[in-house]
Amino acid sequence: MRATPRAWRSAAVVAAGLAALTACGPGGGASGGGAGTPRTGGTLTFAVGSDAGCADPQQVASNDTIYSVRQVVDSLTDQDPSTGKIVPWLAQSWTIGDDARTFTFHLRPGVTFSDGTALTAEVVKANFDAVPKLGALGLLAEGYLSGYQGTCRSRWSPRSATGR
């Protein structure tokens, strides 16, 4: 089945969200409304309308879980709630091939995981490629990636990954 360019763009955005990279963030600075220095420990309490299931963003099975997990992971792109426009997040930019089936994400420099490991195109590739291997554990993610054929790291830059 060949998807329309609009469907592929939507699927790419959702797939990018589901290929979220756990605990990624820019090299420093706080975001959001919180003030002060981050500290280790404490308790985070939240409520959802159903069992949250798995905290792995690639294995979530409901929108409630996606909403919860979205608070602790970052994605390649985001959606501006006021305009609906897809905007950069971990990807500082991206290009869509003429066939509307190839997407190249150019990663923001200086992004690291909470352990200090750098976000690279290889990490993005591994996240995308892991979804089809999940089988029944990744049905929701697999649906968003319907037609996904694979990802390669750009031969020109370790900070770019191309998915088809």
Side-chain angles (χ1 to χ4, degrees), residues 75-77 87-95 104-111 119 157 159-160:
S75 299
L76 293 174
T77 62
V87 295
W89 194 336
L90 295 178
Q92 68 182 5
S93 65
W94 57 91
T95 55
T104 301
F105 293 95
H106 307 281
L107 305 176
R108 273 192 310 161
V111 176
L119 172 66
S157 168
R159 303 228 41 89
S160 297

Side-chain angles (χ1 to χ4, degrees), residues 84-130:
K85 181 180 177 183
I86 304 305
V87 295
W89 194 336
L90 295 178
Q92 68 182 5
S93 65
W94 57 91
T95 55
I96 301 171
D98 292 337
D99 62 358
R101 295 181 50 138
T102 304
F103 302 84
T104 301
F105 293 95
H106 307 281
L107 305 176
R108 273 192 310 161
V111 176
T112 60
F113 288 90
S114 59
D115 69 357
T117 304
L119 172 66
T120 66
E122 290 298 325
V123 171
V124 173
K125 176 184 179 347
N127 275 271
F128 272 99
D129 291 346

Side-chain angles (χ1 to χ4, degrees), residues 34-83:
T37 304
R39 65 177 176 82
T40 301
T43 302
L44 171 65
T45 304
F46 62 92
V48 294
S50 64
D51 180 9
C54 183
D56 178 350
Q58 294 177 336
Q59 296 183 45
V60 298
S62 72
N63 283 335
D64 282 341
T65 306
I66 290 172
Y67 302 146
S68 302
V69 172
R70 186 76 165 125
Q71 304 306 308
V72 293
V73 298
D74 290 326
S75 299
L76 293 174
T77 62
D78 194 21
Q79 187 171 19
D80 183 319
S82 60
T83 65

